[in-house]
Amino acid sequence: MAKRVGVEVSIAIAEAVKLAKAEVIPAYPITPQTHIVEHLSEVVANGELDAEFIPVESEHAAMSACCGSSAAGARTFTSSSSQGLSLMSEVLYIPPAMRLPIVNVVANRAMSAPISIWNDHQDIMVQRDIGWIQTFAENGQEAVDLTLHAFRVAEDRRVSLPIIVNIDGFTLSHVIEPIELPDQEDVDAYIPPFKPKYKLDPRKPITMGPVGIPEVYTEAKMLQDQVIKNSKKVILKAWKEFAEQFGREYNPVETYRTEDAEIMLVTMGSISETAMTAVDKMRDAGKSVGLVRIRLWRPFPGPEFRKAAGKAKVLAVIDRTLPPGALCGPVGAELRSLFYKIPGSPKIFSFVAGLGGRDVTVARFEEIVEKATGYAKKRPKELYEVIGVREK
Amino acid sequence: MIPEFEKFKGFKAKSIPKDEPLAPGHRACQGCGEVLALRMVMKALGRDVIVCSATGCMEIITTPYPHTAWRVPWIHIAFENAAAVASGVESARKVLKRKGRIPKKHIDIMAVGGDGATGDIGLQWISGAFERGHDFLYVCLDNEAYMNTGVQRSGCTPYGAMTTTSPPGSESFGQVTWKKNVPAIAVAHNIPYVATASPAYYLDLMNKVKKAALVKGPAYVHIYSPCPTGWGSAGERSIEFSKLAVETKVFPLYEVIEGRYVMSRKITKPKPVSEYLKGQKRFRHLDEAHIDYIQKRVDADYEKLIKLSEMT
């Protein structure tokens, strides 16, 4: 029987990768992802996992080696963060377009300058359009479960796409939580061996990654878009089967005390747990507040989000990145598009909080709700507002 | 001595494989020395190979979708990272073999790129793959500039050569730097096999590629590849220039086997470099002083190489 143990989330993720029997792990160390790859190299060194750990010379090489490994038919895992994710950016676009499944756990961290090792979502938001399926974990258990789910979905022949599982750097990666690590046989039943439809094999030679002339490029990109949109069916089914196998249920969008809530906070990642505490406090004070959390970021679960939050009067959307010169943060922009010109849809106010490791406390959520309530009556001048700015 | 070499007798003119793993019908320019070299590389390797290609001329001329000239598995990811892609392929095959998921049969893995992909933008990825000791061969097809993008200078462009980013003018005479010695960089990684080759000496080229494939661990073959389009030379003279480059000591042929330098062809009666420079538009602006300088430096470099072969 699977046991709940107190374990650091990074170690638990590495254990999940071991349970998933990853075969090739090209990785380069970067704070705060290091504990994941350290533990993986340890389990490979100890013979607990029959895999090749490639200690590459950069993140760009890590992702390049991932492409070669996946194309050759091996289950492939890597992990990165921040500057490292940006360094591999050129290559990140390629595996989804070439339908190469890879699982990449990103320990989200701010982007330089000023250089910061602490948590926010800038690193992944600049990679928003790379074409990977992207999920966000709220806690350690979810990080483990989403990692297992990622292998299952990525390698499904109907999907055959790479997946990024986002975990907040430090606030998730470095905390010790009680986590249930599933039994090997259950994981084996959940994740079948990787059998790609096409691979590099001299017995059946194929050309992978040819030139796309203007006559074919548009169609190739459209096909890629269709594939990731269609992947949602497989993602949902894999979560349903996960619940049956392991007893934990996951949905693309989660809600907390949203019944009849007039104002809903919208979050992604680990700040959602603080947001729940804030919701409880505000509910106790008689405020009609709930929380909507986005777990599946790409493909964006439009209908699910509308169903979860469509009845709210106000959405207070929290972005963990501040794109300079933009109208608002990416999550805010996405939701404004989703509800644009739909009659009776909620008013959307966009907030930026928790940059470069600044805590987003219960008080901050209260402040956000208070501001959003005010803005519902009197429209703000800007489309977003930065929360928690130091006065001195 | 490398044990894998013992059984290899070398290719003979009569025994060159008729099979063409790189099919004709690709879109290379007339007289392209690079594709000619690549054809011989593939003849030497046969069909049991996986090719990881860098972005460049050879990539675009062989694979405009839906066409392909490749009869072997071939993958292209990006410009600078063919060696890292090959690392991934090699590691994947290692673990899959161990787990009994693919046949145990040995398959060669080749990464291939031009001089820009190798000596400039891709140097780090190659260095990483060499240092980690992956069992693969890296082939550099050196046509001495970024030809695919329209003849811009690279670190491998020879001194004095005119390119679109090293134009001669009132303040310049073309490329102001000496050609980067990429084989020496490969040697510095203590890999078991490094060689230079030329399509004019095709048996020598094929033998070196085969040895690079046979040896366990990383191997590097640097192949001189004339580019009529980029050099302003006549297409029918590509092989002639390949020969002249060797005979004038501009591009010496040698092997470095486990650190030991072995000259493939000692040039005892060298032709003057001016003979090589003549007939290539990229050098036509050079005056005697520059040609003199090139001659002196070519001689000195060759001397150094001979000394290395005597020392090791």
Side-chain angles (χ1 to χ4, degrees):
Chain A
M1 267 298 283
K3 271 195 311 199
R4 251 161 89 92
V5 289
V7 59
E8 189 190 280
V9 173
S10 288
I11 307 298
I13 290 167
E15 285 291 321
V17 174
K18 185 183 103 182
L19 285 166
K21 294 181 177 166
E23 289 164 325
V24 177
I25 305 162
Y28 188 81
I30 182 167
T31 303
Q33 147 269 36
T34 40
H35 292 183
I36 299 174
V37 298
E38 283 170 9
H39 191 68
L40 279 169
S41 50
E42 203 175 301
V43 295
V44 172
N46 289 340
E48 290 173 52
L49 174 64
D50 189 3
E52 288 291 313
F53 184 93
I54 316 180
V56 283
E57 79 288 349
S58 76
E59 286 90 353
H60 193 291
M63 192 40 60
S64 306
C66 281
C67 290
S69 155
S70 181
R75 179 164 291 161
T76 306
F77 176 84
T78 191
S79 179
S80 195
S81 180
S82 183
Q83 309 301 119
L85 191 70
S86 271
L87 185 58
M88 62 169 70
S89 176
E90 184 212 7
V91 195
L92 284 171
Y93 287 82
I94 297 168
M98 286 174 64
R99 306 286 299 277
L100 300 173
I102 296 162
V103 174
N104 183 359
V105 170
V106 174
N108 300 119
R109 164 184 150 182
M111 292 296 298
S112 197
I115 190 158
S116 161
I117 57 166
W118 293 278
N119 168 236
D120 66 26
H121 290 170
Q122 287 177 68
D123 58 358
I124 190 62
M125 285 305 162
V126 295
Q127 307 297 342
R128 189 188 58 178
D129 300 336
I130 50 176
W132 290 51
I133 293 171
Q134 296 177 29
T135 56
F136 279 81
E138 178 184 274
N139 54 40
Q141 185 67 60
E142 189 173 334
V144 164
D145 294 350
L146 289 183
T147 303
L148 297 171
H149 174 260
F151 282 107
R152 160 74 185 261
V153 172
E155 293 171 5
D156 188 301
R157 282 189 181 184
R158 291 164 294 178
V159 178
S160 205
L161 287 174
I163 301 187
I164 285 176
V165 176
N166 289 285
I167 63 154
D168 284 313
F170 291 114
T171 52
L172 258 192
S173 64
H174 283 55
V175 297
I176 294 171
E177 285 186 20
I179 292 172
E180 186 180 306
L181 285 166
D183 290 331
Q184 185 65 64
E185 52 187 19
D186 288 337
V187 176
D188 289 347
Y190 183 66
I191 308 171
F194 178 32
K195 284 184 186 150
K197 193 170 178 189
Y198 303 105
K199 65 174 178 179
L200 296 169
D201 182 355
R203 291 169 299 175
K204 207 179 166 192
I206 54 162
T207 291
M208 298 173 102
V211 179
I213 54 174
E215 285 77 2
V216 301
Y217 188 85
T218 303
E219 288 70 20
K221 294 322 273 185
M222 273 181 69
L223 206 60
Q224 194 189 330
D225 182 50
Q226 281 167 17
V227 167
I228 190 169
K229 281 186 177 136
N230 291 339
S231 75
K232 202 173 84 183
K233 277 179 254 157
V234 180
I235 293 168
L236 297 184
K237 191 159 177 283
W239 269 332
K240 197 167 162 268
E241 285 177 33
F242 190 93
E244 286 159 14
Q245 188 108 31
F246 303 103
R248 287 181 294 277
E249 207 177 292
Y250 292 106
N251 297 294
V253 177
E254 299 287 357
T255 56
Y256 182 72
R257 300 186 78 171
T258 50
E259 323 77 47
D260 308 321
E262 290 186 1
I263 299 182
M264 293 183 197
L265 290 160
V266 181
T267 56
M268 297 206 308
S270 64
I271 62 163
S272 313
E273 297 210 328
T274 318
M276 284 185 212
T277 310
V279 166
D280 287 343
K281 196 178 166 200
M282 288 183 273
R283 282 280 189 181
D284 288 349
K287 283 182 187 158
S288 179
V289 182
L291 169 73
V292 186
R293 174 163 70 91
I294 300 166
R295 179 179 286 120
L296 180 64
W297 172 235
R298 287 289 181 269
F300 191 81
E304 288 84 351
F305 191 92
R306 252 189 241 121
K307 198 173 161 222
K311 282 182 186 152
K313 290 207 172 87
V314 173
L315 294 183
V317 185
I318 293 135
D319 262 291
R320 306 282 318 278
T321 180
L322 176 51
L327 292 176
C328 71
V331 186
E334 196 88 7
L335 296 179
R336 284 190 163 106
S337 295
L338 182 69
F339 287 109
Y340 183 67
K341 285 212 166 165
I342 293 178
S345 60
K347 286 182 178 169
I348 297 170
F349 302 110
S350 193
F351 298 90
V352 171
L355 298 183
R358 181 151 304 174
D359 284 337
V360 188
T361 58
V362 169
R364 292 296 172 217
F365 284 111
E366 289 177 293
E367 186 187 338
I368 288 167
V369 167
E370 200 177 307
K371 287 202 158 152
T373 312
Y375 293 151
K377 289 175 196 133
K378 190 174 176 252
R379 235 177 91 184
K381 276 190 191 141
E382 297 285 343
L383 283 179
Y384 73 93
E385 184 171 344
V386 184
I387 292 294
V389 182
R390 288 194 304 120
E391 299 294 330
K392 281 180 195 170
Chain B
M1 189 58 200
I2 290 171
E4 291 83 23
F5 291 177
E6 274 166 27
K7 277 189 192 158
F8 176 57
K9 298 227 166 59
F11 291 101
K12 305 275 180 301
K14 276 185 185 167
S15 67
I16 293 179
K18 289 212 162 49
D19 189 34
E20 302 278 2
L22 174 68
H26 51 70
R27 301 178 182 199
C29 304
Q30 277 191 354
C32 171
E34 191 175 1
V35 82
L36 193 60
L38 187 57
R39 178 186 173 199
M40 303 318 282
V41 167
M42 292 314 299
K43 273 180 175 289
L45 292 174
R47 300 256 184 151
D48 284 331
V49 61
I50 293 172
V51 178
C52 305
S53 174
T55 308
C57 286
M58 293 304 100
E59 171 253 335
I60 63 148
I61 60 134
T62 56
T63 70
Y65 182 85
H67 303 289
T68 181
W70 293 94
R71 290 170 170 148
V72 296
W74 179 94
I75 187 168
H76 159 249
I77 297 293
F79 191 9
E80 65 287 72
N81 58 357
V85 175
S87 305
V89 173
E90 187 250 12
S91 300
R93 291 192 58 84
K94 233 159 116 180
V95 62
L96 292 175
K97 270 188 204 172
R98 217 160 51 218
K99 290 174 123 183
R101 289 184 48 207
I102 55 169
K104 293 258 184 257
K105 188 178 172 190
H106 177 78
I107 302 293
D108 292 320
I109 295 158
M110 173 175 77
V112 58
D115 49 295
T118 306
D120 288 351
I121 198 169
L123 201 53
Q124 173 197 305
W125 289 256
I126 295 164
S127 175
F130 283 175
E131 171 268 318
R132 293 190 299 272
H134 295 282
D135 187 13
F136 80 117
L137 70 152
Y138 190 101
V139 171
C140 170
L141 299 167
D142 178 8
N143 57 19
E144 305 194 314
Y146 291 94
M147 299 314 184
N148 192 32
T149 43
V151 203
Q152 293 84 18
R153 64 85 73 185
S154 80
C156 290
T157 299
Y159 179 88
M162 170 184 72
T163 70
T164 53
T165 53
S166 64
S170 64
E171 307 300 317
S172 180
F173 54 88
Q175 175 91 338
V176 295
T177 51
W178 198 253
K179 185 181 176 76
K180 191 190 277 193
N181 189 345
V182 185
I185 297 170
V187 171
H189 287 79
N190 290 318
I191 59 174
Y193 189 78
V194 174
T196 63
S198 157
Y201 303 88
Y202 54 91
L203 285 174
D204 178 69
L205 181 152
M206 287 174 69
N207 288 338
K208 283 168 174 169
V209 168
K210 187 71 187 173
K211 281 166 147 178
L214 283 170
V215 74
K216 281 206 175 72
Y220 178 77
V221 185
H222 191 103
I223 305 178
Y224 175 91
S225 307
C227 173
T229 312
W231 295 3
S233 56
E236 69 272 19
R237 293 188 66 194
S238 286
I239 291 302
E240 198 184 325
F241 282 117
S242 303
K243 268 206 174 109
L244 274 170
V246 174
E247 289 167 348
T248 55
K249 307 192 285 193
V250 165
F251 191 88
L253 298 181
Y254 58 93
E255 291 172 293
V256 188
I257 306 163
E258 292 180 316
R260 200 163 44 84
Y261 278 74
V262 182
M263 300 306 292
S264 311
R265 193 168 281 268
K266 262 192 196 161
I267 307 301
T268 44
K269 287 177 190 161
K271 291 182 175 166
V273 290
S274 56
E275 252 184 67
Y276 170 69
L277 303 175
K278 226 165 33 191
Q280 299 184 45
K281 282 185 187 155
R282 60 177 176 158
F283 295 122
R284 69 175 169 185
H285 58 281
L286 294 179
D287 60 21
E288 257 177 55
H290 280 122
I291 295 170
D292 261 6
Y293 175 78
I294 294 171
Q295 181 69 63
K296 285 202 179 83
R297 208 156 158 186
V298 162
D299 288 344
D301 279 1
Y302 194 82
E303 222 22 67
K304 221 159 89 185
L305 201 58
I306 294 290
K307 280 203 180 111
L308 276 169
S309 74
E310 288 163 359
M311 271 164 56
T312 54

